[in-house]
């Protein structure tokens, strides 16, 4: 096995080769032994469509280590028979598409498969820019994964490949792939449109707030200032979300060092986790606590600094899986447009 793996890593520096080979051998060696006498809950069936042998081997090893059935192919004509076989066994198919052609080719493939198989989940691997990722999400993929690219960087390639594989394992372990977990594609496309035509900064945060409210029962936009948050518009706050957005709420929440808010500010990325901290307790004095402690916090970043946060929870309802990858992509898109608006305003002011 080691020799076969090394042959697939000829373009990788020797020290990087050794790290990757050792990782994959350990991953395969740690796969649980099958015990015919102990039943297990069936997971999704993973179908990997890729011409990249290393990517295929990494993801296959990850699936086997976590006892997930996996099929691999580099031929598009193989996909339908594999998906049909999976559905015949009452299992949930998850198709992983590794980009090795034009975006147009994969847009067609994704739309064809999702139209033919309503219960299919699609994950796309990308090494391109955010526009390619957003286009894939608009086509209906469940999530996107940035894959390691040896052509962009040989230094740290092994570490990046290992991180990619472990992130994939974590995602598969934490997410449900039943058809009940519908992704709000219409709302996503509306949000993309609204972000694209936004002329003022409040338009951006409101478009993101409306999308998040499609998934969560309560949501609020906060302006981030020194040491505190100022509540702006909310949906589902003090009344059902069907009544629409509130006027600016204007109450303040003090930041705490270990709060979910401060974590999002420090990490510059969204979080969707259980939270019980002083900042949340301060917030709940204003809006009441949710039934469950799992909350979403989404930052809008401008030139490396968080200037706004969107908070969301499930209110009185039970928590459900959320398309955090989709929300993260919208947040990044909003941040880029935010910077463009600021630059435009600065140039307009200079021209006056």
């Amino acid at each position: 096995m080691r020799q076969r793996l090394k042959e697939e890593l000829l373009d990788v520096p020797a020290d990087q080769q050794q790290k990757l080979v050792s990782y994959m051998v350990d991953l395969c060696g740690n796969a649980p032994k099958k015990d015919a006498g102990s039943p297990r809950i069936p997971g999704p069936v993973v179908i990997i469509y890729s011409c990249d042998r290393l990517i295929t081997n990494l993801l296959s090893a990850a699936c086997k280590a976590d006892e997930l059935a996996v099929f691999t192919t580099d031929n598009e004509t193989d996909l339908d028979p594999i998906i049909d076989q999976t559905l015949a066994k009452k299992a949930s198919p998850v198709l992983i598409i590794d980009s090795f052609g034009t975006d147009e080719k994969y847009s067609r493939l994704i739309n064809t498969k999702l139209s033919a198989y309503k219960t299919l989940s699609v994950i796309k691997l990308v090494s391109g820019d955010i526009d390619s990722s957003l286009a894939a999400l608009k086509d209906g993929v469940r999530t996107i994964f940035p894959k390691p690219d040896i052509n962009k960087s040989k230094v740290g390639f092994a570490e990046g490949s290992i991180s990619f594989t472990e992130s994939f394992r974590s995602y598969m372990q934490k997410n449900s792939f039943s058809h009940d977990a519908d992704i709000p594609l219409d709302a996503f496309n509306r949000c993309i449109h609204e972000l694209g035509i936004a002329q003022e900064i409040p338009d951006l945060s409101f478009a993101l707030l409306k999308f998040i409210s499609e998934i969560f029962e309560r949501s609020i936009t906060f302006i981030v200032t020194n040491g505190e948050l100022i509540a702006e518009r909310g949906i589902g706050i003090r009344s059902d979300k069907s009544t629409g957005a509130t006027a600016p709420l204007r109450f303040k929440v003090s930041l705490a060092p270990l709060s979910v808010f401060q974590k999002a500010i420090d990490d510059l990325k969204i979080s969707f986790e259980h939270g019980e901290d002083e900042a949340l307790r301060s917030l709940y004095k204003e809006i009441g606590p949710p039934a469950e402690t799992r909350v979403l916090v989404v930052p809008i970043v401008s030139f490396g600094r968080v200037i706004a946060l969107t908070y969301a929870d499930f209110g009185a309802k039970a928590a459900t899986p959320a398309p955090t990858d989709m929300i993260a992509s919208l947040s990044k898109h909003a941040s880029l447009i935010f910077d463009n608006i600021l630059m435009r305003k600065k140039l307009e002011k200079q021209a006056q």
Side-chain angles (χ1 to χ4, degrees):
M1 178 180 179
R2 285 182 180 270
Q3 183 59 38
R4 175 174 58 81
L5 291 174
K6 288 182 178 179
E7 291 173 359
E8 295 172 6
L9 295 168
L10 292 177
D11 294 332
V12 181
D15 61 325
Q16 301 281 299
Q17 282 187 28
Q18 186 59 43
K19 289 179 183 178
L20 267 176
V21 170
S22 297
Y23 169 73
M24 293 180 68
V25 169
D26 289 344
L27 194 60
C28 293
N30 290 332
K33 306 301 181 184
K34 292 186 179 294
D35 183 355
S38 58
R40 55 181 291 271
I41 300 173
V45 173
V46 178
I47 305 160
I48 303 170
Y49 174 45
S50 175
C51 287
D52 188 324
R53 292 174 64 188
L54 175 59
I55 290 290
T56 299
N57 283 329
L58 283 169
L59 296 184
S60 296
C63 290
K64 291 173 183 176
D66 293 328
E67 296 188 274
L68 296 177
V70 58
F71 294 89
T72 66
T73 182
D74 59 5
N75 190 337
E76 185 178 330
T77 60
D78 291 338
L79 296 178
D80 284 355
I82 297 173
I83 297 172
D84 290 335
Q85 179 183 347
T86 300
L87 294 173
K89 295 181 178 179
K90 307 297 183 183
S92 299
V94 177
L95 174 60
I96 299 176
I97 297 177
D98 180 17
S99 303
F100 48 93
T102 63
D103 284 340
E104 290 77 10
K105 169 186 175 181
Y106 291 104
S107 180
R108 174 192 58 77
L109 175 62
I110 291 165
N111 280 289
T112 298
K113 297 309 172 196
L114 289 177
S115 295
Y117 300 101
K118 300 302 182 184
T119 60
L120 177 68
S121 295
V122 178
I123 295 173
K124 189 179 180 187
L125 310 183
V126 297
S127 57
D129 56 23
I130 190 171
D131 289 336
S132 298
S133 301
L134 288 170
L137 287 168
K138 289 181 72 174
D139 287 332
V141 304
R142 183 178 179 113
T143 191
I144 53 173
F145 268 94
K147 66 177 182 178
D149 189 344
I150 188 64
N151 295 317
K152 292 185 177 180
S153 176
K154 293 185 179 182
V155 177
F157 178 74
E159 290 82 356
S161 298
I162 292 170
S163 177
F164 160 77
T165 308
E166 289 301 308
S167 295
F168 170 77
R169 292 183 69 189
S170 177
Y171 179 83
M172 295 299 292
Q173 291 165 5
K174 292 178 180 177
N175 285 271
S176 166
F177 292 90
S178 67
H179 189 49
D180 294 335
D182 293 326
I183 297 176
L185 292 176
D186 289 343
F188 178 85
N189 291 333
R190 283 197 303 273
C191 186
I192 287 288
H193 174 71
E194 290 174 3
L195 291 174
I197 64 174
Q199 297 297 314
E200 299 294 335
I201 290 170
D203 299 335
L204 295 173
S205 58
F206 188 49
L208 189 59
L209 177 74
K210 287 192 293 183
F211 175 77
I212 291 172
S213 74
E214 295 277 346
I215 304 155
F216 293 83
E217 294 304 305
R218 307 192 304 178
S219 49
I220 304 174
T221 296
F222 288 98
I223 303 301
V224 180
T225 62
N226 291 331
E228 63 183 10
L229 307 174
I230 302 174
E232 287 294 308
R233 305 182 77 176
I235 297 177
I237 305 301
R238 300 169 184 157
S239 64
D240 188 85
K241 67 178 182 179
S242 61
T243 61
T246 67
L249 296 163
R250 300 304 184 195
F251 64 79
K252 297 179 180 180
V253 174
S254 296
L255 287 171
L258 300 178
S259 72
V260 292
F261 298 114
Q262 191 62 55
K263 180 180 178 182
I265 292 171
D266 292 340
D267 295 345
L268 302 179
K269 62 182 181 181
I270 78 169
S271 67
F272 181 44
E273 59 189 56
H274 293 281
E276 294 184 49
D277 57 64
E278 190 59 37
L280 285 174
R281 284 189 285 272
S282 176
L283 170 61
Y284 298 153
K285 289 178 182 178
E286 298 286 345
I287 67 172
E292 296 193 28
T293 60
R294 197 170 193 190
V295 301
L296 175 82
V297 181
V298 183
I300 294 181
V301 181
S302 177
F303 298 108
R305 183 174 66 90
V306 175
I307 48 86
L309 291 170
T310 299
Y311 163 91
D313 63 41
F314 290 99
K317 295 187 176 181
T320 60
T324 52
D325 34 45
M326 185 178 282
I327 296 170
S329 294
L330 288 173
S331 173
K332 291 177 183 177
H333 193 49
S335 295
L336 291 172
I337 296 173
F338 188 101
D339 288 346
N340 289 337
I341 291 175
L342 287 181
M343 290 298 297
R344 187 196 72 219
K345 289 181 177 295
K346 181 178 181 180
L347 292 173
E348 289 174 350
K349 186 175 181 180
Q350 291 174 349
Q352 291 175 355

